[in-house]
Amino acid sequence: MADAGAPAFSPDGTLLYFTASTNAGPTHVGLDMTTQERPYRAGLYVAVLTEDGVSPLAPKAGDEDAKSEDQDEDETDSEDDADLVYDLAGAKTRIQALPVEQAQYSGLTVGKSGDLFYIKSVQPGVEVTMPGQSAQRDAAFITFSFDDREATTLTSGVTAFSLSADREHALVRKSDGSLATGKLGDKFEAKPVKTGDLQLWIEPRKEWRQIFDDVWRMEAEYFYDPDLHGLDWQGVYDRYLPLLDHVGRREDLNRLMTEMIAELQVGHNRLGGGAVERPSGPDIGLLGADLTIRNDRHQISRIYTGENWNPNVQGPLAVPGLDVSEGDYIIAINGRTLGDGSNIFEHLAGTVGKQVTLTVSDRANGRNPRQIVVEPVRSEFMMRLWAWIEGNRKAVDAATDGRVGYVYLPNTAGAGYTLFNRMFFSQTDKDAIIIDERSNGGGQAANYVTDVLSRTYLSGWKDRNGLTFNTPGGAMFGPKLMLIDQDAGSGGDFLPYSFREMGIGTLMGTRTWGGLIGISANPGLVDGGFLVVPYFRFFDRDFEWSVENEGVAPDIEVGLDPTLTNQGRDAQLEAAIAEILRQLETNPSVVPTQAPEYPTELGE
């Protein structure tokens, strides 16, 4: 009836501390998107393991036992420790909760004095952190004193720790990944552990052989089918091993191992990284704009705003108060004139996050110039993506007279969860909706999305002010259509599969990628490289292995028209609009928008 974890024995072995949660059920299948932002709350407990043992929370007598001044602390350790007799059945009745709030705890460890040390993590969903920040920057390193019956925070921003052999010092890992160490006590002042001077001498060819062997072995040990689909894996090893002598750099090794594991002919089976050469160079600052060469000048043809309501997506030229508009020309950057044939990005090298002065004018000849100060960004991806999403939403809204909503899902992980919640619930007043999962990058099994989309109307309600609302709330009961394509895969395969299986609506577009074989079980490689071995695989309700290397076919096949694409039109979205309007005509919503007439008799 509880999810127990983080066990820690007392030094004498008579007590067992642990965490236990009674709300963990919905989080046990981490593949499901319904686990997103799901809090995990556990209490702290102690079990007395011996029949004559005493709880550390038992009331204490007023008098303390006398102790000789010359008695050595080590003399308190009894030889009877080896004769401990555990009463495990009885221990179930000797469990006591510590007087602390339920939260997300980990790393329980008992110190020298018998006090308990542990980490209290920040619960999912509490906030959305800024880019580059750790969600656990406020995680706390805590000690619980059994003398005072109180928990005390020693320091924050700690995600893990380890006690020294004498249990008097702690090595902690900070939320930024750095290490620090300090003496335990009423206060904990941790000093940074410097690792910058650490060096490791390796022989590349010996390390490459180890990596090659590890990759081959992990495929055999972690692949979901122990027989590897009947492939002679030893024969594969014997065939590829001689090629290892011809590897001249780490990148070559990745190429060789990629060819080797590709013999399995499945998706989600990949590797990369490691001690590869990573040349550095200056970051090129970007202005969040489309630039056109006109009249031998750089003209701003479009300014990307980030849609203004995305807190972490701000277009550099869209900051309120800047005197710049689409159609203006950039005449100079930091006083350097952009002449005929100038490369504007050469002038923006090394400017990411720094203040840059642009000289702009509404005329190509630079008449009446004005100067503005901007901060270029490293990437324009999110502001351009949001411009595309919002453009689609507005196009659907305009073409349907506001009757149809539009939701885009870039993946079925955190971003997909966030965008679905932001876009769907704000459009539940629509008569129908188009869910666009083209180029969906996958992640989790998006059962949360299909659960919400499949809600059925149960009742309506009427309040005093004349408003009506429904149960379930946050639901849309009209026709639904999902756009799919060949670039949607993994979770982007499962979403349309489940959309169809649950009878939610129509699939339109092209067949999805076909990758429903799961990963994330095996360890990494010795030099920091990664390998993901397919550890589990999907089978359908007909008890068949499907979708993998097959994809999900649409109900209505519509491809992108290159000619229309070059004209800035989306053939698939236009077809979706036409189809959803047709469905609205043939299958209108039966959910009432008004309440019945008021009762006219008492007691009705």
Side-chain angles (χ1 to χ4, degrees):
M1 301 300 290
D3 180 62
F9 286 94
S10 62
D12 62 5
T14 62
L15 304 174
L16 176 64
Y17 299 94
F18 60 97
T19 64
S21 172
T22 56
N23 85 319
T27 69
H28 280 168
V29 182
L31 181 66
D32 292 348
M33 188 188 273
T34 45
T35 60
Q36 283 275 349
E37 296 189 354
R38 179 80 186 187
Y40 179 93
R41 293 184 293 271
L44 296 181
Y45 297 84
V46 59
V48 180
L49 302 179
T50 59
E51 189 174 4
D52 57 351
V54 179
S55 168
L57 296 170
K60 296 183 179 298
D63 298 330
E64 296 183 359
D65 294 334
K67 180 179 178 181
S68 168
E69 293 183 1
D70 59 353
Q71 182 181 1
D72 188 82
E73 290 186 0
D74 292 339
E75 294 179 11
T76 61
D77 296 333
S78 171
E79 294 181 0
D80 292 339
D81 289 351
D83 300 324
L84 281 175
V85 177
Y86 288 124
D87 175 26
L88 298 184
K92 294 180 180 179
T93 65
R94 295 191 297 271
I95 294 176
Q96 190 173 6
L98 274 61
V100 297
E101 68 275 12
Q102 294 184 44
Q104 188 164 349
Y105 299 114
S106 61
L108 273 61
T109 306
V110 182
K112 184 174 182 179
S113 64
D115 291 343
L116 191 65
F117 295 88
Y118 52 90
I119 299 294
K120 180 182 178 182
S121 300
V122 178
Q123 291 281 3
V126 171
E127 64 181 16
V128 178
T129 57
M130 292 290 290
Q133 287 185 346
S134 169
Q136 296 300 325
R137 68 187 186 281
D138 293 326
F141 180 34
I142 297 177
T143 181
F144 182 87
S145 170
F146 288 98
D147 288 334
D148 301 331
R149 305 288 201 271
E150 290 184 355
T152 302
T153 298
L154 297 176
T155 187
S156 61
V158 172
T159 59
F161 71 95
S162 177
L163 298 191
S164 59
D166 61 7
R167 298 175 183 256
E168 292 185 351
H169 294 76
L171 176 68
V172 300
R173 183 174 67 227
K174 307 286 284 185
S175 59
D176 61 2
S178 63
L179 300 175
T181 186
K183 184 176 177 60
L184 297 172
D186 295 336
K187 296 182 179 180
F188 180 70
E189 298 180 0
K191 297 181 179 179
V193 175
K194 297 180 180 180
T195 59
D197 294 333
L198 291 176
Q199 292 184 329
L200 178 66
W201 293 92
I202 63 170
E203 296 184 46
R205 291 202 171 276
K206 288 185 177 180
E207 185 175 71
W208 294 345
R209 174 61 186 268
Q210 177 182 339
I211 293 171
F212 181 90
D213 288 348
D214 282 346
V215 166
W216 179 84
R217 183 165 45 249
M218 281 192 279
E219 290 284 349
E221 294 297 328
Y222 289 93
F223 193 72
Y224 85 100
D225 172 17
D227 195 40
L228 284 82
H229 292 178
L231 180 65
D232 179 8
W233 196 233
Q234 182 62 51
V236 170
Y237 179 86
D238 295 339
R239 188 163 70 253
Y240 280 88
L241 180 61
L243 299 176
L244 187 61
D245 293 336
H246 302 279
V247 167
R249 58 178 188 159
R250 184 62 171 81
E251 292 86 341
D252 298 337
L253 178 62
N254 278 344
R255 175 65 182 272
L256 173 62
M257 295 187 299
T258 297
E259 295 289 337
M260 178 176 69
I261 66 176
E263 297 278 352
L264 286 164
Q265 299 182 31
V266 296
H268 288 85
N269 191 23
R270 59 182 181 268
L271 53 80
V276 299
E277 183 67 24
R278 294 182 176 87
S280 62
D283 286 329
I284 304 300
L286 302 175
L287 300 175
D290 288 341
L291 302 173
T292 304
I293 301 297
R294 185 179 179 188
N295 300 321
D296 297 328
R297 292 286 192 183
H298 291 83
Q299 186 180 41
I300 303 170
S301 55
R302 180 173 181 178
I303 295 175
Y304 292 92
T305 65
E307 307 313 313
N308 300 119
W309 31 262
N310 288 300
N312 300 325
V313 184
Q314 174 66 63
L317 297 181
V319 175
L322 289 182
D323 186 16
V324 62
S325 305
E326 293 177 352
D328 285 347
Y329 294 88
I330 300 177
I331 306 301
I333 297 179
N334 286 338
R336 297 175 60 190
T337 301
L338 298 176
D340 181 20
S342 294
N343 182 347
I344 189 172
F345 299 106
E346 178 184 349
H347 294 257
L348 291 171
T351 62
V352 173
K354 299 179 181 179
Q355 292 188 351
V356 172
T357 301
L358 304 182
T359 303
V360 299
S361 172
D362 60 358
R363 301 294 180 89
N365 61 13
R367 190 176 65 180
N368 299 323
R370 55 192 185 278
Q371 292 188 336
I372 61 172
V373 177
V374 301
E375 292 186 7
V377 295
R378 179 174 287 105
S379 172
E380 297 172 337
F381 176 79
M382 287 306 300
M383 63 185 76
R384 290 179 178 272
L385 175 62
W386 268 112
W388 180 78
I389 294 171
E390 186 66 1
N392 288 348
R393 189 195 65 78
K394 289 179 178 179
V396 171
D397 189 73
T400 64
D401 293 328
R403 298 182 64 193
V404 180
Y406 171 87
V407 174
Y408 181 69
L409 298 177
N411 59 33
T412 57
Y417 177 81
T418 299
L419 264 69
F420 178 77
N421 286 333
R422 168 175 287 183
M423 300 191 72
F424 176 78
F425 292 110
S426 63
Q427 299 179 82
T428 52
D429 59 336
K430 306 292 185 181
D431 297 328
I433 199 157
I434 295 172
I435 308 294
D436 189 350
E437 73 120 37
R438 291 176 295 176
S439 296
N440 186 289
Q444 294 176 287
N447 64 321
Y448 169 78
V449 172
T450 50
D451 285 353
V452 172
L453 293 178
S454 62
R455 290 174 175 171
T456 57
Y457 176 74
L458 297 177
S459 68
W461 305 84
K462 174 79 167 61
D463 69 20
R464 172 61 183 264
N465 293 323
L467 299 176
T468 61
F469 57 96
N470 301 319
T471 292
M476 203 281 294
F477 307 107
K480 303 172 183 69
L481 181 148
M482 179 172 288
L483 278 172
I484 62 177
D485 71 356
Q486 69 282 351
D487 294 320
S490 190
D493 287 302
F494 184 80
L495 178 56
Y497 165 83
S498 55
F499 187 85
R500 170 183 286 153
E501 287 293 307
M502 297 174 70
I504 296 173
T506 303
L507 297 178
M508 175 181 283
T510 56
R511 184 184 293 270
T512 61
W513 173 57
L516 271 186
I517 193 166
I519 57 177
S520 73
N522 58 281
L525 304 176
V526 66
D527 69 342
F530 71 87
L531 168 71
V532 290
V533 182
Y535 188 67
F536 56 92
R537 183 176 175 181
F538 164 88
F539 58 88
D540 59 29
R541 295 201 296 185
D542 296 326
F543 209 58
E544 297 286 342
W545 302 110
S546 64
V547 179
E548 172 67 23
N549 283 335
E550 175 187 338
V552 177
D555 300 313
I556 303 174
E557 186 166 359
V558 178
L560 279 178
D561 186 318
T563 302
L564 294 181
T565 299
N566 289 337
Q567 295 173 4
R569 294 172 56 187
D570 187 334
Q572 291 174 325
L573 185 60
E574 291 179 5
I577 293 171
E579 174 61 21
I580 203 74
L581 286 175
R582 185 194 68 78
Q583 293 184 16
L584 273 173
E585 293 300 319
T586 59
N587 187 28
S589 174
V590 297
V591 178
T593 57
Q594 294 182 340
E597 293 293 330
Y598 286 118
T600 58
E601 299 287 339
L602 294 176
E604 288 187 352

